[in-house]
Each structure stands twice: as structure tokens, then as C-alpha cells.
Amino acid sequence: MESQPSRPKETVFRLADIEVEQSQLDDKIVGTFRFESSAPQKHGPMLLAITEINGTGYVYDQLIDVINHEAEKSRALTIGVDADPVSRFEKIVQNINRAVADFTAHEPTPINWTRVNMFLLELSQGHVCLTGVGQLMNMFLQQQEDGTFKTYDLFGSLEQPPDTDPEKLFRAIICGDMNVGDVLIAGTRNLERFRHELRLKERLATLPPVAAAQDIKQELERQGVPDDFVATIIACLPADETRATAAPAPAAPAKGLCTASIEKLREAEADAGRQTGPMILPSSSQATGGRHQDTGKGEPLAPFLQGALGIVGRVRRMVTREKVRDVAMMTSLRGMNAGFGTFFTRKRKTILMAAGVLTVLIIGGGSAIKYQRNAAAERAAWNETYDQARATIERASGEDVYSEERARRSLAEADDLIASLTEVTDEQKEALQTLRDMAGGLREKLRRAVVVDQPAQLYALPDGLPDGTLVSPIFFKGSLVAADRSSNALIVINLETKEAERIALSVGETAHITAIAAGQSSVIVALDDGSLLATNITNGQTAPLTLGDGEAEAMTDITAYGSRLYRLDAAKGQIWRYPSATGGFGAEQSYLQAASTNLNDAVSLTIDSNVYVLKANGTLVRFFSGGQDGFSLPAIDPPLTNANALWSADDAESQYLAIADKTGKRILLFTKEGRLAAQFTSPAFAGPTDLLADEASKKLYAVDGNKLLEIPLP
């Protein structure tokens, strides 16, 4: 932590805790313990203890109680002492070490110190002191003058001896300034596996500590990982800063496309009701016994209907009217020789014909209205399905940002909806073509296809050699180094001048190079007979390296991480770990402790803070601390069924994983959150077999048909 003179005179620490309990097993003890003033106006430094013990024995509970009791007592004794923060913290650590030593001297139960991970921090005015034993996840974000953040492994800066001494448990102390804007998160080691999924750096750099803690907790609970997570976020702020966070105004409910289609359906139904109501319902004057009753429906047809029904009424009354029984009139009619009169006079025939026409009109109109209503309902249903399909495609496009798997499922749902729509009218055909174009564009986007017309060639072996002769490209001291298995030589390429140099190796007639790795001062060469060489690419000198004996059989792949060598052994389905030793590497240790996947078909491995292993069938598995977690690659188009090589930078901050697919003649680039970033294809590809990348210069280098090609990263 570098000191910066622009720090305000008064600062304050804001803390937020993260606790997620989802483990089904009671196999460890985790927790944070805070010691501070209980008064409303808190004063004095704050002491913080973060603990993760991989065991649940009674002795570990007692150990925590001893440390907590002594920490609280020592803080109370030193809070009023006028001393610099370093001296005060040294006194607290000295008292805790003495208390632990007394406890272990009288405790009959032995303590396995390799299970204990505990760090103590004291936070005072713009100052942080810490000590610890073991390992815990941590990320220190130091704000720069331009507002950006640099990330440091603060706990990793604490030098610890290889063996724990209970007589002096906490041996080393580091202290430094923590300025305004700086943020520190510290917690259980399992958080390291989800550094990228949880977007820790982004959340800590943009959110207040409480909001960041809440987001991280919700994301852990959403993922449902069966483990317990504990962490504390510490942010340094100006002492006079006041934060008034207004509750966000409730958002107006968004009117989605599906809602709009339903409202259109209701409007269509209401419109059909307004048109059909007057012809189906009786007129208002008849329904109310002559009193006017405004129904609000069908006023334009009411006079016509009322007049027509009036004619029918008069016809009915004329047919049922009683004959005149006036005797004088009857006598008069006989006297005039009127003969036998008929009821169907011209006037009455006209009325009856009008009534018949009216009846036909009513029946035909009712049928037409029914057809119109059915057609309107079908159009509304079609429009609703269309709107739903369009909304599903748009939802899939939004889901692509967070989960390709969900986006693909939504796109498949949209395809089913599109298939259910008919194409009767030209308007429907045009609308459906628009949907198909949208779905096709999203499908192509999900493929993340990047076509490289003509990749640049850096180096090539002579023609006629079998594929797989040029192998295992690595970066070493600014150069790109690859192995030529046909002549057991190293190819060293200067990336600035593009010049290549060959270094011949003396390995005998029967042994051949399997893989190479970047060591501390030389290139480590692994041979298929299980032996190792160290090659100085500056002077070309080669010397054998020792390798601890054990059960290992195959030298499938190797990589160096930290001060250890990791060896992938497909024959045994195991990863072997070798510590650094004089003249080579020491005793063999099995890295895998629990794995649900058989690694007998493994082809490649790479390490950042996690260990990634690629299998020949395209499956990628991830391990942390010897145990397999639930990481997997998403389904892609076309599916990945064959794989040859895997690459990732050994920096935990790197964001990419790359896979060479010789059968598919492509290179797949994934983010470490498990999202497909790009599929590189080229008409020039014969079938990539190995690869590596430089994220800083945005260059990807691939071995393709014994040619070394350079491809720009997106």
C-alpha cells in the first residue's frame, strides 16, 4: 500500500459483512470478529479477526476463544496509549502470541496448524496493520489519481515461514496507509473460485460497501453453491462525508409487448360489441317499456331497427285484428256484390315481403357479425403470438449479456412460436420474415463467429512432417518459444523482429519432447520418458532436472505455477504436484483429492488461481484446493465434441480461456465466467492443435498444421 499525500486529514472506515450459509456439512469453522468501542460515538482503533478453520474439533473452538479474549483485552489496554499504530499493534500481537503459546502448552489435544487460516487487522485513522497465518481470499483496490483502481494481494505480501510455530503463531506484521477511495475485501478461500462470477472488482469499485456486500450475498444465494461464505468489505471514506440515500421512486410498470397485445384483443372485442350489440339486443324503448334507456351501443342503427320492428308489430296486429261485426256494414258489402274478399291485399303483401327481407337481413347480418368476431379473435390471437415471439427474441438478446444458456433456451422458445404462426396474408408473411431475420441474427450473434481471412504466419516447419510436430508454445522472457518434436529442438521467436532461432537438445534417440513450460530462469522441457531438462535460451545450454519419484506414469502436459511444477498424468487420471528443490523438483504429491470426473482422457491443463483440465471430448473441468467445483462450458453451435489444447494466463486477473479444436478447424475463446467470447475460423486453417494468447497486446498465437500463426483478439 503506497502512501499518497492527497489524503484528507480525517477519514473513517465503513465495514460491511457477507455471510452465506449453504453448506450441507458441518466441516469447518468460519467467521469474522470485530472489536470496537460500544459507545454511540466510537473512538479508538478497530480490531478485526477473520477466521477459516477446516475442522470442527473442540480444540479449534477453544483456540478461537483464546485469541478473541486476548484480542479484546489487549485492545482495551492499548486504546488509551499514546503510541503510533505500529507499536500499538505489535503489543496486541505479542499478547495474543503469548496467550496462544500458553494455551497450546497445556492443551493435550494436538492442533493441525495446516487447517488454521486466520488474519488480524487493526484499522485506525487512515492506517491498516495486519498479521496472519495460513491463506484467505483478499483483494485490495487502491484508487489512483485518475479514478481507476490497482488490485493487490495484500495478505500475500505477508511473509510467512513454511512451518507454523505455536510459540509465536503470528510472526510477521505489515502496516500501511489506507486512503480515501481504497477498498479491501477479505474472506474465506472459497470466494477465490468465484472472483470473476461475482464481479468483485467491478462491484467494489462502483458500489458503497453495504450495497456491494448485499449484491455479492444475493448472487451467492442465487447460484446455490453448497458451501459457507464469510467476508468483510472495508472502505476508507472522508470523516465528514454524509450519505443520504433516497429510496428510489417506484418504477411505473412497463407496458410489455404481451400486455399491449392483450389490450388490443380487448379493444377488438369492445369494438365488435359496439357493432353487434344493437342488432342482437332489443331496442331501448321496447326493453324498458317505452322509457328511453341509453346503453351506449349501436345508436346509429336504433331508428332503423325500431322502425322495422314497428312494421312487424303492425303486421302482427293486422293479422290478429278481429273482424268488424257491424251488421249494417256487412249488409252493405253484400249489396255491393263484393264477393269473397282476401286477406292478402297488396298492402299486406308488401308488409309481409318487407318483414321477410328484414328477417333474412337479420339472420345474414348475425352470421356475418359472428364470422367477423371469429376472424377478429383469430387476428388477435395471431397478433398475441407474434408479439410474444418478438418479445421472447428481445428477451433472449438481453439474456445473452448474462447467460448464453438462457438466451439459447429463449431463442428455441421463440422458434416454436414462429413455427405455430400461419402465413395467410402478405402482411403476415412480411411480419413473419421480420421475426425470422431477428431470430437468425441473434443465432449468429450467439455463435460469436469471427472469420480470419488470412492470419499472419510467424514460423513454419518443413512440409511433409505429421501434424503435432510443432507443439507447446509458451511466452518466456519476451520471446515466443515452441518445441519441434521431429528434431528435439526449441524454436525461439523474437516477437519484435519476427526472427526465429533453433536450439538443439541432446535427449537421446528414443526420447521426444512432450511439452515445455516457463521456469524461473530457464525453459522446462518434459520428455515422454518422464525426465526433465532445463534449457537456457540465451546461451543454448541444457542441463537435466531432478524430479521426485512416485506413482506417476504419463507426462501428458506440464505447467509451472508459483514455485511448483504441475504434471498432468492421463494414464493415472491424476495431477501430480512437485515443490521446487535444489537442482529440480522434490517429492511427488497428488493434487486431486475429490473429483467426479475421470481424467483418463485429459489432454491439457492450465492454472491461474484455479486448475483447469481439458478432456479430449471437449469437456472442461475446474479444481480448487484439490476439489472439483461445478464449472462447465456452455452449449455452443456447433457443439464442441473434440479438443486438443487449453490455454489461460497464470494471472488470476486474466479474463480468457482458449481451446484449440482441430476437428472443427476453429479456436474457441471463453471468458472465465463460462461465456463464449469468439469462435475463430479461417479458410487457411488446416486444424489448430495448440495455442496461447497475449491479452495485453491482444494477440492470439496458434499452431496449425505445423505453422505458427498470429491472430488478433477482438
Side-chain angles (χ1 to χ4, degrees):
M1 294 182 290
E2 299 177 358
S3 177
Q4 297 180 358
S6 59
R7 174 168 54 88
K9 294 182 179 180
E10 297 292 334
T11 59
V12 67
F13 289 101
R14 295 286 175 85
L15 278 70
D17 295 329
I18 302 170
E19 294 185 6
V20 177
E21 298 180 1
Q22 299 181 143
S23 176
Q24 305 299 320
L25 301 175
D26 186 16
D27 59 350
K28 62 181 178 180
I29 304 171
V30 296
T32 58
F33 308 91
R34 193 183 304 176
F35 308 97
E36 59 184 335
S37 173
S38 59
Q41 298 296 328
K42 300 184 185 298
H43 64 281
M46 178 189 304
L47 196 61
L48 187 68
I50 306 174
T51 302
E52 178 181 3
I53 299 179
N54 296 312
T56 56
Y58 175 74
V59 66
Y60 297 113
D61 290 331
Q62 289 290 96
L63 175 64
I64 293 175
D65 289 343
V66 168
I67 294 176
N68 286 346
H69 175 74
E70 187 58 41
E72 185 174 13
K73 184 176 70 174
S74 297
R75 178 190 175 277
L77 292 175
T78 59
I79 191 172
V81 177
D82 186 13
D84 65 278
V86 179
S87 300
R88 182 175 59 244
F89 188 62
E90 286 179 341
K91 183 62 177 177
I92 294 175
V93 173
Q94 181 182 359
N95 293 341
I96 294 175
N97 282 335
R98 186 184 301 112
V100 172
D102 293 342
F103 168 71
T104 54
H106 297 87
E107 174 58 44
T109 305
I111 297 177
N112 186 349
W113 293 105
T114 60
R115 298 183 177 184
V116 178
N117 305 278
M118 178 179 291
F119 281 78
L120 304 175
L121 296 89
E122 186 184 66
L123 310 174
S124 57
Q125 179 64 37
H127 200 82
V128 176
C129 290
L130 70 91
T131 185
V133 59
Q135 296 179 349
L136 287 178
M137 175 270 169
N138 75 100
M139 184 190 301
F140 181 71
L141 274 64
Q142 186 181 69
Q143 190 172 34
Q144 307 301 302
E145 293 182 357
D146 59 357
T148 60
F149 290 87
K150 282 188 176 180
T151 306
Y152 298 96
D153 179 5
L154 187 59
F155 290 3
S157 303
L158 187 69
E159 294 185 2
Q160 299 186 46
D163 299 322
T164 303
D165 182 8
E167 295 294 325
K168 192 175 182 182
L169 181 62
F170 301 108
R171 293 191 182 183
I173 293 174
I174 60 173
C175 296
D177 292 337
M178 189 165 178
N179 303 315
V180 171
D182 295 348
V183 184
L184 170 66
I185 182 172
T188 49
R189 292 184 300 168
N190 49 14
L191 284 167
E192 186 68 41
R193 303 199 308 266
F194 302 95
R195 177 192 292 255
H196 297 285
E197 289 90 334
L198 297 174
R199 297 184 291 117
L200 292 182
K201 183 175 181 180
E202 177 185 342
R203 284 189 164 108
L204 296 177
T206 58
L207 296 175
V210 175
Q214 186 67 21
D215 279 8
I216 294 170
K217 179 178 179 181
Q218 291 177 353
E219 181 64 20
L220 287 170
E221 291 173 344
R222 186 189 66 80
Q223 294 191 12
V225 179
D227 206 347
D228 294 337
F229 299 86
V230 170
T232 296
I233 299 175
I234 305 169
C236 185
L237 306 172
D240 57 351
E241 177 178 316
T242 58
R243 296 185 178 181
T245 306
K255 186 175 182 179
L257 294 175
C258 293
T259 304
S261 64
I262 292 173
E263 291 188 359
K264 289 181 179 179
L265 175 60
R266 291 174 178 171
E267 291 175 0
E269 291 176 348
D271 182 64
R274 285 193 295 271
Q275 296 180 17
T276 61
M279 303 188 70
I280 297 174
L281 299 175
S283 65
S284 59
S285 60
Q286 292 175 341
T288 58
R291 296 186 301 274
H292 177 69
Q293 182 178 357
D294 185 8
T295 63
K297 297 182 180 180
E299 286 81 353
L301 292 178
F304 167 77
L305 190 58
Q306 184 175 3
L309 292 177
I311 294 173
V312 174
R314 286 195 293 273
V315 171
R316 180 183 60 80
R317 288 193 296 271
M318 292 177 66
V319 171
T320 60
R321 184 180 299 161
E322 295 182 359
K323 295 183 178 180
V324 180
R325 298 198 180 273
D326 186 274
V327 178
M329 182 174 292
M330 293 175 65
T331 303
S332 173
L333 289 174
R334 291 192 193 99
M336 294 175 60
N337 296 318
F340 298 96
T342 178
F343 173 78
F344 294 101
T345 63
R346 179 178 295 179
K347 180 177 181 181
R348 290 178 177 176
K349 289 180 180 179
T350 302
I351 294 173
L352 289 175
M353 290 178 63
V357 171
L358 179 61
T359 302
V360 172
L361 289 176
I362 292 174
I363 296 173
S367 299
I369 291 170
K370 183 178 180 180
Y371 173 80
Q372 182 181 4
R373 293 185 64 183
N374 291 338
E378 290 177 0
R379 285 196 301 271
W382 196 96
N383 290 336
E384 182 178 359
T385 304
Y386 175 87
D387 290 343
Q388 186 177 354
R390 188 183 184 98
T392 304
I393 295 173
E394 292 176 349
R395 185 181 74 231
S397 181
E399 289 172 341
D400 176 39
V401 179
Y402 304 101
S403 171
E404 290 183 8
E405 192 64 30
R406 282 161 51 189
R408 293 180 189 279
R409 288 199 299 267
S410 296
L411 186 58
E413 180 183 343
D415 289 338
D416 292 339
L417 292 171
I418 293 173
S420 68
L421 292 173
T422 58
E423 299 178 90
V424 178
T425 66
D426 292 340
E427 182 181 3
Q428 289 176 340
K429 293 179 181 179
E430 183 178 352
L432 277 179
Q433 188 58 45
T434 300
L435 282 186
R436 293 190 183 103
D437 292 343
M438 290 176 61
L442 179 57
R443 188 174 293 105
E444 190 64 25
K445 179 182 177 183
L446 289 173
R447 291 188 70 247
R448 304 288 193 270
V450 178
V451 179
V452 183
D453 293 330
Q454 189 61 49
Q457 179 175 304
L458 293 182
Y459 181 81
L461 292 177
D463 294 337
L465 294 175
D467 288 349
T469 302
L470 187 64
V471 298
S472 197
I474 63 169
F475 291 119
F476 185 74
K477 296 187 180 300
S479 298
L480 195 158
V481 183
D484 177 3
R485 300 184 78 247
S486 65
S487 59
N488 285 326
L490 296 184
I491 312 300
V492 182
I493 301 174
N494 187 318
L495 293 177
E496 293 183 359
T497 63
K498 311 302 183 190
E499 295 179 352
E501 176 187 358
R502 294 178 62 87
I503 300 176
L505 306 179
S506 299
V507 299
E509 297 180 357
T510 59
H512 293 86
I513 300 173
T514 297
I516 62 176
Q520 297 291 333
S521 58
S522 60
V523 174
I524 303 172
V525 181
L527 305 178
D528 53 11
D529 62 1
S531 61
L532 296 179
L533 300 175
T535 301
N536 187 321
I537 64 171
T538 303
N539 55 28
Q541 294 181 353
T542 300
L545 291 175
T546 60
L547 186 65
D549 294 332
E551 302 177 13
E553 292 184 8
M555 190 76 76
T556 307
D557 196 7
I558 63 169
T559 187
Y561 184 77
S563 59
R564 295 184 177 92
L565 179 72
Y566 290 79
R567 173 182 180 179
L568 177 61
D569 181 359
K572 284 284 189 178
Q574 180 62 268
I575 298 174
W576 306 103
R577 181 170 59 186
Y578 303 86
S580 178
T582 303
F585 297 94
E588 175 183 282
Q589 301 171 350
S590 58
Y591 171 75
L592 297 183
Q593 304 299 324
S596 59
T597 300
N598 190 325
L599 298 184
N600 292 121
D601 59 343
V603 295
S604 183
L605 90 160
T606 187
I607 302 177
D608 51 17
S609 58
N610 299 299
V611 175
Y612 299 87
V613 178
L614 179 67
K615 302 176 66 176
N617 62 2
T619 302
L620 182 63
V621 291
R622 184 174 71 181
F623 301 91
F624 180 78
S625 296
Q628 182 179 345
D629 63 17
F631 178 84
S632 63
L633 294 177
I636 61 174
D637 180 23
L640 177 61
T641 57
N642 295 277
N644 301 85
L646 171 69
W647 170 88
S648 173
D650 59 4
D651 180 8
E653 294 297 322
S654 68
Q655 56 180 324
Y656 291 125
L657 292 162
I659 295 176
D661 177 11
K662 178 182 178 182
T663 303
K665 294 184 178 182
R666 58 181 173 170
I667 296 171
L668 302 172
L669 191 66
F670 295 90
T671 68
K672 290 186 178 178
E673 289 83 6
R675 294 182 61 251
L676 178 64
Q679 289 194 64
F680 293 99
T681 61
S682 174
F685 280 173
T689 56
D690 217 332
L691 76 171
L692 79 165
D694 183 1
E695 295 183 45
S697 63
K698 292 188 176 298
K699 297 291 179 60
L700 188 149
Y701 301 92
V703 176
D704 179 72
N706 294 324
K707 297 177 182 179
L708 191 58
L709 307 178
E710 181 183 83
I711 301 168
L713 284 174

